[in-house]
Amino acid sequence: MCIQSKKIRSPGDLEGKLENGSVLNEQSLSVPTETTHRGIKSRHAQMLAIGGTIGTGLFVGSGQALNRAGPAMLLAGYITISILVYGMITATTEMSSYLPVTGCSMAHYGTRFVSKSLGFAMGWLYWYSFGILIAYEITAASLVIDYWPNSVPTAVWITIMLVVIVSLNILPVRFYAETEFWFASLKVFTIIGLLILSFILCVGGGPDHDRLGFRYWKDPGPAKEYLTSGSGGYFSGYLYVTTFSVFAFNFAPELLVLTAGEMQDPQTNLPKAAKRYFYRLITFYILGSLAVGVICSSNAPGLTNETGSAASPWVIAIKAAGIHSLDSVINAVIITSAWSSGNSYLYMSSRTLYSLAMSGSAPKVFTRCNRWGLPYYAVFVSSLFTLLAYMNINSNASAVFNWLINLTNTAGFTSWVCCCIIYLRFRKARIAQEVDLSTLPYLSITQPWMAWVCMVLFSLLCLCNGFYVFFPGHWSVSSFLTAYLGLPIFLSIYLAHRIYHYKDPWAHKSESVDLHTGLEFVRALAPEVNESAKDSKRLNLWKRVKLLWD
């Protein structure tokens, strides 16, 4: 059921005007239109949190990291990023669960808690990054289909996926959430099944009854030298895996923040999702990377001379074990994973544009919603990014498309560093204004220490993203630009806005940061959602089934 307030019809009515008048402009929010509706349920939120992060990176990309650094370094890299991502989840959830206002995003919080320039730069970074990644995921899915011999042109597959993704995003948000719930469920069940299969192969339960154990950790070994010899080579391998594996986690915290503005009872459901996220990181990423290193050799030829799903370590291990047809099942899941990711990226791109317009950083027309609470102009303009997928049909245009993808390579690191800055400013403002801790729906004992650790380490990883090009004999202009092009573009957007608004402070004073506008409206949502939830208590059987997801 979508939750809608009859009395609130515009972003201006909901958000109001900040006390210092410097963060948001009342006029920019007074578009006479409906706002987005809260149609994302608790079970949707749980699956969206983890489902958006399980994609081609874990299924296919992990094979390249395994080949370069070995199973031990693959596991160490995924453990490192999992810990840091959990730190990000706890930081962003503390903010988003406290103020899950309509149109909220990390760019919105950047504008509200730090400065208009930071929010502006982050918002446009998110918008073009998410938009380009829509086309990337559509292309990836269409290419993976070639695992099965067929004569259908790639353009046909691109068109089919494009139409489905756009169609799901022009429906009310509950349809998007429900679709992503089942997409994510499929990925979760697949990963759990692969973990069970890995254990069976490890103990010799496969068709050939070959007991793998930790054979591949002995030969070719737990770690491989990369770029140089000795301990430096092993560390280079670890650093490569750590920077490379971030793609599998990219924008997971941001997705949860974006859904908060359309979530039922967000002050209850967001903390619930954050508390359970740690266990999902362990299950899907840490155990997943361990399983890959157990069942697939880091020297397996398919990791380097195959493309698409054929390069997946899972598929290679399944074929080596003599299990027939299961590789096609995994290929189908990889296709749906890419499809699902493209669906999520279009949602994120459109809601980011909506959030930018709410904050006055984009034309006000993008705040307009229809009676379903859909920001249709924002969805339409963001959907235009899907057309970039057709560039891969032509080899010359494909090179241009690859350059566009390069713009997003450092976006994840840049976003997470900014998220840490925003959280620390939020926390400082909360302390300065003596906000009662009992009013915060979520607090983590890891903060603020993890925010500082994440900010420092993600800054270093961002600078090390293309470290390999600086080794003798590995310099390449294209590789350098691939690794670092997105960073100067983000800084240029930030500095251009900062120069234009040179009279604005670099950061809002802690005492004047608005921590209250929209808070009462959000708290008023809880009784309305809880009232509707009472009816479901009569469905005892369904309630028990829901416990599997909630």
Side-chain angles (χ1 to χ4, degrees):
M1 176 180 178
C2 289
I3 304 302
Q4 177 185 0
S5 173
K6 298 289 185 180
K7 298 180 181 179
I8 296 175
R9 291 298 185 186
S10 73
D13 293 335
L14 174 60
E15 303 295 344
K17 182 178 181 180
L18 301 190
E19 294 176 1
N20 62 1
S22 62
V23 179
L24 297 179
N25 186 306
E26 177 94 6
Q27 278 188 328
S28 69
L29 297 177
S30 60
V31 181
T33 180
E34 301 255 357
T35 63
T36 54
H37 295 180
R38 295 184 180 269
I40 299 177
K41 301 177 182 179
S42 176
R43 63 186 178 89
H44 297 153
Q46 307 301 313
M47 278 298 172
L48 283 171
I50 190 65
T53 63
I54 299 178
T56 54
L58 182 60
F59 285 113
V60 181
S62 56
Q64 183 177 335
L66 175 66
N67 176 259
R68 292 283 178 87
M73 293 306 173
L74 176 68
L75 177 61
Y78 269 84
I79 289 175
T80 301
I81 298 299
S82 293
I83 293 172
L84 295 178
V85 169
Y86 183 70
M88 295 302 307
I89 286 287
T90 58
T92 56
T93 302
E94 184 174 324
M95 294 183 289
S96 60
S97 62
Y98 177 68
L99 278 172
V101 294
T102 298
C104 68
S105 65
M106 286 312 301
H108 170 83
Y109 293 140
T111 298
R112 189 161 179 164
F113 302 145
V114 184
S115 71
K116 288 192 290 186
S117 295
L118 181 63
F120 180 88
M122 287 184 67
W124 290 108
L125 167 76
Y126 286 145
W127 184 67
Y128 75 69
S129 295
F130 297 153
I132 293 172
L133 287 172
I134 303 167
Y136 170 82
E137 295 295 347
I138 291 175
T139 301
S142 63
L143 293 177
V144 168
I145 292 177
D146 288 338
Y147 182 80
W148 299 303
N150 68 88
S151 58
V152 180
T154 302
V156 174
W157 296 121
I158 290 176
T159 302
I160 293 173
M161 294 176 190
L162 183 155
V163 169
V164 172
I165 287 174
V166 174
S167 298
L168 290 173
N169 275 270
I170 61 176
L171 294 173
V173 70
R174 66 180 182 272
F175 289 98
Y176 159 78
E178 192 67 32
T179 304
E180 278 304 299
F181 172 81
W182 291 109
F183 269 141
S185 299
L186 176 62
K187 289 184 278 188
V188 167
F189 284 130
T190 301
I191 290 291
I192 292 175
L194 288 174
L195 291 177
I196 295 173
L197 175 64
S198 299
F199 176 77
I200 293 173
L201 295 178
C202 181
V203 298
D208 56 1
H209 301 293
D210 182 15
R211 185 175 181 179
L212 294 177
F214 278 79
R215 174 188 306 170
Y216 299 129
W217 285 59
K218 297 177 182 179
D219 181 24
K224 299 171 72 173
E225 297 173 339
Y226 178 56
L227 297 175
T228 186
S229 58
S231 57
Y234 294 126
F235 179 76
S236 294
Y238 165 74
L239 186 59
Y240 174 83
V241 171
T242 306
T243 55
F244 182 82
S245 63
V246 166
F247 186 78
F249 297 82
N250 260 355
F251 304 118
E254 293 88 336
L255 173 58
L256 204 54
V257 174
L258 280 167
T259 59
E262 298 180 72
M263 187 181 297
Q264 296 179 359
D265 196 6
Q267 294 195 319
T268 299
N269 291 325
L270 281 172
K272 187 188 298 184
K275 290 174 183 177
R276 297 173 180 177
Y277 201 85
F278 178 75
Y279 303 104
R280 292 170 181 177
L281 285 171
I282 293 176
T283 302
F284 302 127
Y285 288 98
I286 296 178
L287 291 182
S289 60
L290 173 63
V292 163
V294 168
I295 65 175
C296 183
S297 170
S298 60
N299 285 344
L303 295 176
T304 55
N305 60 20
E306 296 286 356
T307 58
S309 57
S312 168
W314 304 100
V315 171
I316 292 172
I318 288 169
K319 285 185 173 181
I323 303 174
H324 302 291
S325 302
L326 186 56
D327 56 325
S328 291
V329 174
I330 303 303
N331 190 65
V333 173
I334 293 174
I335 293 171
T336 59
S337 296
W339 204 336
S340 168
S341 295
N343 194 32
S344 291
Y345 282 130
L346 179 53
Y347 172 83
M348 295 169 74
S349 182
S350 62
R351 294 322 187 263
T352 296
L353 187 56
Y354 173 76
S355 179
L356 279 167
M358 291 276 287
S359 298
S361 297
K364 291 184 287 185
V365 68
F366 294 120
T367 63
R368 293 181 181 176
C369 298
N370 60 19
R371 60 189 177 88
W372 297 331
L374 178 76
Y376 52 94
Y377 281 118
V379 173
F380 172 75
V381 172
S382 298
S383 297
L384 296 179
F385 279 110
T386 61
L387 300 177
L388 293 174
Y390 288 106
M391 296 177 70
N392 285 280
I393 299 173
N394 181 277
S395 58
N396 294 327
S398 179
V400 178
F401 180 75
N402 289 333
W403 277 92
L404 293 174
I405 287 294
N406 295 342
L407 298 179
T408 69
N409 279 6
T410 54
F413 290 125
T414 304
S415 170
W416 290 342
V417 171
C418 292
C419 288
C420 292
I421 294 172
I422 294 169
Y423 171 75
L424 293 171
R425 292 297 301 174
F426 164 79
R427 184 182 177 88
K428 187 175 181 180
R430 175 170 62 77
I431 294 173
Q433 298 180 30
E434 299 180 346
V435 174
D436 187 355
L437 294 182
S438 64
T439 64
L440 270 70
Y442 178 81
L443 281 171
S444 173
I445 60 174
T446 65
Q447 299 298 349
W449 315 113
M450 276 303 295
W452 285 104
V453 171
C454 289
M455 183 171 65
V456 172
L457 291 184
F458 281 134
S459 297
L460 294 174
L461 288 174
C462 184
L463 296 176
C464 294
N465 190 44
F467 75 97
Y468 49 87
V469 303
F470 300 106
F471 276 76
H474 290 83
W475 171 257
S476 167
V477 174
S478 60
S479 297
F480 176 80
L481 293 176
T482 296
Y484 296 108
L485 184 61
L487 190 58
I489 290 179
F490 171 79
L491 293 176
S492 298
I493 296 173
Y494 173 80
L495 292 174
H497 188 276
R498 186 73 193 86
I499 292 171
Y500 185 78
H501 296 275
Y502 65 94
K503 293 183 179 180
D504 291 347
W506 285 91
H508 305 305
K509 293 181 179 179
S510 300
E511 295 78 13
S512 63
V513 169
D514 181 38
L515 297 177
H516 304 288
T517 302
L519 189 57
E520 291 304 317
F521 173 81
V522 170
R523 288 174 178 168
L525 287 172
E528 189 173 359
V529 175
N530 291 338
E531 188 68 29
S532 65
K534 290 179 181 178
D535 296 334
S536 66
K537 291 183 178 180
R538 301 188 185 95
L539 304 176
N540 293 327
L541 178 60
W542 174 239
K543 185 179 178 183
R544 293 191 184 97
V545 173
K546 282 181 66 179
L547 289 176
L548 295 172
W549 309 106
D550 292 348

